[in-house]
Amino acid sequence: MSFAFHYFVTSGRCYSCCSMHSFLSVGLSVLTVFKWVVPTVYTDVSGNTIQSNQFSVTEHFRTGDVGRLQSLPGVFFFYDLSPIKVTFTEEHVSFLHFLTNVCAIVGGVFTVSGILDSFIYHGQKAIKKKMELGKFS
């Protein structure tokens, strides 16, 4: 038994295949395959829209010992179609947005370094004060 779901190639990116091959060589065994399908829309910068699906597959294999079989032997498929659609949209980011992000990163670095400097300064001051009083051991 084999089945495969093929994705597409868009804007230079190749989306991998989700394929599965199973061979049932053990008698009285159960293979249960769960497939989840999520509708997906890809929109690139030029406005081209591609309707597609994302797939997720999980399989469970169980052998049936003689006298302990609790279900029928076979291959069972369960499909779960998601009611929620995922949308990927490519957009150009303006230079002002880029500049704002750079300023936020620089500001965050200065803030964290200020906090660390404050901890070191006050810690050193407290240790020095305890050493002067003779309470530092």
Side-chain angles (χ1 to χ4, degrees):
M1 166 184 61
S2 72
F3 54 89
F5 303 107
H6 299 283
Y7 284 112
F8 51 88
V9 177
T10 178
S11 65
R13 286 183 242 149
C14 180
Y15 296 92
S16 63
C17 297
C18 173
S19 62
M20 184 174 133
H21 301 281
S22 296
F23 301 101
L24 299 177
S25 59
V26 179
L28 297 177
S29 58
V30 177
L31 175 66
T32 307
V33 180
F34 297 94
K35 297 181 193 180
W36 291 273
V37 180
V38 179
T40 306
V41 176
Y42 296 92
T43 305
D44 62 0
V45 176
S46 61
N48 296 329
T49 301
I50 299 173
Q51 302 282 339
S52 182
N53 294 303
Q54 293 183 33
F55 299 95
S56 176
V57 178
T58 304
E59 80 171 57
H60 298 282
F61 180 76
R62 188 174 63 230
T63 60
D65 297 333
V66 177
R68 294 187 47 193
L69 189 63
Q70 296 176 359
S71 63
L72 294 174
V75 179
F76 301 96
F77 294 96
F78 295 95
Y79 289 93
D80 185 12
L81 303 174
S82 176
I84 299 173
K85 181 185 282 189
V86 176
T87 303
F88 292 104
T89 306
E90 292 182 2
E91 297 175 341
H92 283 296
V93 179
S94 68
F95 180 72
L96 185 60
H97 187 266
F98 170 74
L99 192 62
T100 304
N101 283 342
V102 169
C103 289
I105 291 169
V106 171
V109 168
F110 275 112
T111 301
V112 170
S113 63
I115 291 170
L116 289 175
D117 181 55
S118 175
F119 280 140
I120 291 171
Y121 174 76
H122 289 294
Q124 181 184 10
K125 193 174 177 182
I127 290 172
K128 189 175 181 182
K129 188 174 185 180
K130 284 189 177 191
M131 287 178 73
E132 289 175 356
L133 295 174
K135 294 184 177 181
F136 188 76
S137 46

